[in-house]
Amino acid sequence: MKIGIIGGGQLAQMLAQAGESLDMEFAFVAPEKDACAAPFGQHFIYPYLDPKAKESLQEWSDIVTYEFESIPVALVEALEAELPVHPSSKALTLASDRLNEKTMFNQQGIETAKFATVDSLEDLQKAAKEVGLPAILKTRRDGYDGKGQVVIRDESQLISAWETLSPVACILESMVNFKREVSIIASRNVDGDIAFYPLAENYHREGILRLSLSLQNDPKQQEAEEIIRKVMEKVNYVGTMAVELFDLGDKFAANELSPRVHNSGHWSMDGTIASQFKNHLLAIANKPLQDTSIQSPTAMVNLIGGIPSKDAVAEIPNAVLYDYGKEPKPGRKVGHINICANGDQDEDFIPNVIKVLDMVGQQELIGELLKSSFYK
């Protein structure tokens, strides 16, 4: 089976790696000549809206998918008129616009932060009164890893915040007082079968995910599953999806959804029998989904800006280094490390996670980890 992927980054790379055991071939459309997925299949080097991008995928592929949501909906719509594309343009349209996304959550009875549309400074001034301050001004499209966001703490910052992001359409969201950040990931195939992954507890710095911890038998697992089930069934979703959630103590509030494999699910590459990448491929091919239960507690540490010494990583028991082959740059995700426990009662697991955090300069997270519900 030939799988065409829109995008050529690390998620496309890991999809292709997962497909090696599934008798699948891969091709990528990506304008970057040095796309890190390129060595794992055929690389069509075209801008996404170049007619040759569509033609190449259409002629080569049996099924098309995509690795991120900042792609032209028009390309997905054009392709799905000719062959199966999963997730659909409907899912992409929903997830690529924060206003559409928040509105859908509320329509499904899923709580979110308070929000208001902002298209002008006057809108922002009005929204600040409706939503309240402090709040976060975000671009409706193309924001990720903390980009396209400005925190507004009082009215004196309204003008500068708008000038920072204007004239792009925005949304103002209230700040949420949460106990922890988690994400729920699930895969749904064409027949509507769903496989849910255990929750992951997530830690961010500067808007970038730094650490994810798999959660076994979390008491709120079923509540999170019902949230993502509602979303998937609403848009007849096919593939792997992530929904990021704020745990408010008595309930969840949805933050955002991702219509693709997700950074907070990278732990599944070593912590489950079937990773989020493998089940995404099985889902879009409408094959039976595989086991998502935790084989061993696992932590994922993102590598931002550079890769540590491979020898140093090798000295940490049950630590697995994934190097995406990308040029190191400040703020750029260039790899990750998975750390697995040796059984449920492994007393060295958290110390090994701490060693990795210390190695990559995330000492601040060590204190948070030791105070977390996960550690207790």
Side-chain angles (χ1 to χ4, degrees):
M1 183 174 287
K2 293 183 175 181
I3 309 295
I5 300 180
I6 304 171
Q10 67 265 21
L11 299 180
Q13 178 190 102
M14 288 183 273
L15 282 168
Q17 290 169 330
E20 291 176 357
S21 63
L22 299 176
D23 194 27
M24 292 179 174
E25 300 175 64
F26 294 86
F28 315 96
V29 161
E32 302 86 3
K33 293 182 179 180
D34 60 347
C36 68
F40 298 88
Q42 190 162 344
H43 183 197
F44 300 119
I45 308 173
Y46 300 119
Y48 297 120
L49 288 177
D50 188 320
K52 292 181 180 178
K54 173 186 175 292
E55 292 169 11
S56 298
L57 283 177
Q58 183 178 327
E59 292 173 3
W60 188 91
S61 310
D62 296 316
I63 300 171
V64 171
T65 188
Y66 46 89
E67 66 148 4
F68 67 114
E69 54 267 47
S70 297
I71 57 172
V73 175
L75 173 58
V76 176
E77 290 175 334
L79 283 166
E80 67 187 357
E82 306 294 338
L83 76 168
V85 181
H86 303 301
S88 67
S89 60
K90 182 177 180 180
L92 179 61
T93 299
L94 177 67
S96 60
D97 186 313
R98 285 192 170 99
L99 179 62
N100 293 346
E101 181 182 74
K102 289 284 193 299
T103 301
M104 179 278 303
F105 280 136
N106 288 177
Q107 289 173 344
Q108 294 300 302
I110 301 167
E111 185 159 332
T112 64
K114 293 180 182 179
F115 63 93
T117 306
V118 174
D119 294 316
S120 66
L121 176 58
E122 291 73 21
D123 286 347
L124 178 57
Q125 291 166 334
K126 181 181 177 182
K129 291 182 170 60
E130 293 176 358
V131 170
L133 298 178
I136 307 174
L137 183 65
K138 300 179 179 180
T139 57
R140 282 174 53 177
R141 295 182 58 87
D142 299 333
Y144 63 96
D145 289 346
K147 298 177 175 66
Q149 301 185 18
V150 179
V151 175
I152 303 173
R153 302 199 178 278
D154 56 61
E155 291 185 359
S156 67
Q157 297 175 313
L158 292 175
I159 294 175
S160 62
W162 176 246
E163 289 177 345
T164 298
L165 299 183
S166 66
V168 179
C170 293
I171 185 172
L172 186 69
E173 298 179 12
S174 65
M175 300 282 268
V176 177
N177 184 21
F178 57 85
K179 295 183 178 297
R180 59 176 181 162
E181 292 182 85
V182 299
S183 55
I184 179 72
I185 291 174
S187 302
R188 183 177 186 269
N189 65 15
V190 178
D191 287 340
D193 301 323
I194 303 177
F196 300 98
Y197 284 86
L199 283 169
E201 186 168 325
N202 303 320
Y203 297 80
H204 296 79
R205 283 288 179 278
E206 299 167 330
I208 301 174
L209 180 66
R210 307 289 175 159
L211 170 68
S212 286
L213 304 162
S214 67
L215 301 176
Q216 197 163 15
N217 302 318
D218 190 271
K220 294 194 172 184
Q221 176 73 30
Q222 187 171 353
E223 182 182 348
E225 288 182 7
E226 286 308 306
I227 289 173
I228 198 169
R229 181 196 298 277
K230 284 182 180 180
V231 177
M232 287 183 143
E233 292 180 349
K234 168 70 176 175
V235 295
N236 195 24
Y237 190 87
V238 175
T240 293
M241 172 191 284
V243 176
E244 296 180 60
L245 302 165
F246 296 125
D247 185 352
L248 307 181
D250 59 336
K251 57 188 172 182
F252 282 128
N255 181 25
E256 61 184 32
L257 70 87
S258 297
R260 54 174 170 81
V261 288
H262 192 258
N263 198 176
S264 67
H266 290 357
W267 66 269
S268 67
M269 297 170 74
D270 297 289
T272 63
I273 290 176
S275 72
Q276 63 166 341
F277 301 97
K278 186 174 186 179
N279 266 341
H280 180 80
L281 296 171
L282 293 172
I284 66 175
N286 201 30
K287 294 183 178 181
L289 303 172
Q290 296 185 7
D291 191 354
T292 58
S293 58
I294 291 178
Q295 304 305 299
S296 62
T298 306
M300 187 282 301
V301 175
N302 257 337
L303 302 178
I304 312 298
I307 301 288
S309 162
K310 292 177 173 59
D311 291 339
V313 175
E315 292 178 4
I316 300 174
N318 302 313
V320 184
L321 172 65
Y322 294 88
D323 184 342
Y324 304 153
K326 297 166 71 174
E327 181 183 351
K329 292 181 181 178
R332 190 181 201 187
K333 294 176 186 173
V334 293
H336 71 271
I337 297 172
N338 281 348
I339 310 99
C340 296
N342 187 14
D344 292 342
Q345 306 301 319
D346 184 1
E347 295 181 354
D348 292 327
F349 175 53
I350 293 298
N352 287 337
V353 176
I354 289 173
K355 288 178 183 177
V356 173
L357 290 172
D358 187 59
M359 179 187 300
V360 300
Q362 291 297 318
Q363 289 80 9
E364 202 177 330
L365 283 182
I366 294 172
E368 286 192 41
L369 176 60
L370 294 177
K371 291 186 291 185
S372 71
S373 57
F374 179 89
Y375 180 68
K376 295 173 184 177

